[in-house]
Amino acid sequence: MFKVIKESFKLTNENIIIATPLILFSLISTLYLIFSSGGNKIGLLFSVILFFLMLGAFLSGWFYMIARVIKNPDNNGNKLITEFPSGVGEYFVVTLVMIFKILLISAIIIIIAFLAGKKFIGGIGIPYSQLSSSISNVEDMKALIDSMSREQLIKINAWNLLIFFSMLFNYFILLFYPAVIFFKRKNPFIAFWISLKDTFGRKFFKNVGLFLLIMILYMIISSLMALFGKNMFIHFTLTLINFYYATFVGILVFNYYYTNFAKIGSAIDTRV
């Protein structure tokens, strides 16, 4: 594990050009969503469709660049950016299917969690409109919490834990999904089952360790952003760290999967 982490840091530093498409996509997509947020329902529908097409193009090229770095660590550098269009051409449709399958799986997990919560936890006894309106205001949220009974507080904490662990489970089962597509199988349906087999297989606890490392680092960075986000200089620095972190995690997950599940000598293990 530590060897893979060290290698991933080295690969990230030597191929920091991989962060460029991520930064550009973040800027372009943010501006696009801001300027396309108005309009009628049909216009909004087309905006959403176009956004997912943009996301598919970005992820197909970006993941392809990362896979190239992992497979050929000594032959990359700044010229790696020229591999981006090749990834879009080869994996665009596959990546779109992967995105929609991820959305479907996430929706199923959320629905199951909601049904389980209704059965085993029950309702809080507060209208949804009141709860959602108080979230945007600290004082309103504080007043709402003070007005709750002990039973309501227990229930709302139980709901928070249920949602939190449901999301963690969702992220965990999807951890290796893109890596399987770019290393083993282009078929997004078969790739998902391969990713599940590898995730819950003999290296399960090692996989959990990797996932916890990623989540802990993410929580630290998110906490720092929340605490020091009002300072412009610190916010800018943390934003750059966030982009570096996202690039590192992409390389780390792909490198970990390639080392532990895909690479066998000089060949690739394609077994289901």
Side-chain angles (χ1 to χ4, degrees):
M1 171 77 81
F2 292 106
K3 183 182 178 183
V4 172
I5 294 172
K6 184 178 178 181
E7 287 175 353
S8 300
F9 267 119
K10 184 173 180 290
L11 289 171
T12 303
N13 294 331
E14 291 177 350
N15 301 278
I16 197 63
I17 192 73
I18 292 175
T20 303
L22 175 62
I23 295 170
L24 290 175
F25 175 75
S26 298
L27 292 173
I28 293 170
S29 61
T30 301
L31 290 173
Y32 173 76
L33 290 173
I34 290 171
F35 288 111
S36 63
S37 58
N40 54 34
K41 291 182 180 179
I42 295 176
L44 185 61
L45 177 62
F46 277 109
S47 298
V48 171
I49 292 172
L50 184 56
F51 172 77
F52 279 108
L53 292 175
M54 290 166 55
L55 180 62
F58 160 68
L59 289 178
S60 56
W62 197 58
F63 285 147
Y64 185 78
M65 289 173 66
I66 293 174
R68 293 282 293 184
V69 164
I70 304 303
K71 289 180 180 178
N72 304 288
D74 299 323
N75 189 27
N76 293 292
N78 291 335
K79 67 178 183 179
L80 187 65
I81 197 71
T82 60
E83 300 288 349
F84 187 90
S86 301
V88 177
E90 188 174 349
Y91 286 93
F92 178 65
V93 175
V94 175
T95 304
L96 280 180
V97 177
M98 180 192 74
I99 291 170
F100 285 114
K101 185 154 187 179
I102 287 173
L103 291 174
L104 177 61
I105 293 165
S106 301
I108 291 171
I109 290 174
I110 290 170
I111 291 169
I112 292 172
F114 177 75
L115 293 175
K118 281 191 72 176
K119 182 174 179 61
F120 297 107
I121 300 174
I124 302 170
I126 298 172
Y128 176 76
S129 58
Q130 183 183 355
L131 189 62
S132 59
S133 63
S134 63
I135 291 173
S136 58
N137 189 292
V138 177
E139 293 299 323
D140 290 344
M141 176 58 75
K142 198 173 178 182
L144 180 64
I145 292 172
D146 290 338
S147 67
M148 287 183 183
S149 65
R150 185 173 180 275
E151 185 182 355
Q152 286 178 315
L153 289 173
I154 291 172
K155 283 187 175 183
I156 201 168
N157 287 331
W159 272 105
N160 287 334
L161 287 173
L162 177 63
I163 294 169
F164 176 73
F165 284 109
S166 297
M167 290 296 97
L168 282 184
F169 178 73
N170 183 36
Y171 299 146
F172 180 64
I173 65 172
L174 296 170
L175 182 64
F176 298 135
Y177 188 22
V180 175
I181 289 176
F182 284 82
F183 285 134
K184 283 189 176 182
R185 294 292 181 92
K186 283 185 182 180
N187 187 313
F189 301 99
I190 296 175
F192 176 67
W193 295 112
I194 295 175
S195 69
L196 285 181
K197 176 187 74 75
D198 292 336
T199 299
F200 293 96
R202 58 189 175 85
K203 296 187 178 181
F204 172 73
F205 292 104
K206 192 175 180 181
N207 299 339
V208 171
L210 173 71
F211 180 73
L212 289 176
L213 172 66
I214 292 170
M215 293 309 299
I216 289 169
L217 290 175
Y218 172 75
M219 288 178 183
I220 291 172
I221 294 172
S222 298
S223 299
L224 291 174
M225 289 282 281
L227 287 171
F228 303 106
K230 292 183 179 180
N231 185 299
M232 188 173 292
F233 175 76
I234 296 177
H235 180 77
F236 176 74
T237 304
L238 289 172
T239 300
L240 293 180
I241 291 172
N242 213 17
F243 282 123
Y244 179 88
Y245 167 76
T247 305
F248 166 70
V249 167
I251 291 175
L252 173 63
V253 171
F254 271 57
N255 191 25
Y256 175 90
Y257 186 82
Y258 184 70
T259 302
N260 289 278
F261 299 103
K263 184 180 179 182
I264 301 178
S266 59
I268 299 294
D269 176 16
T270 59
R271 292 173 298 174
V272 178

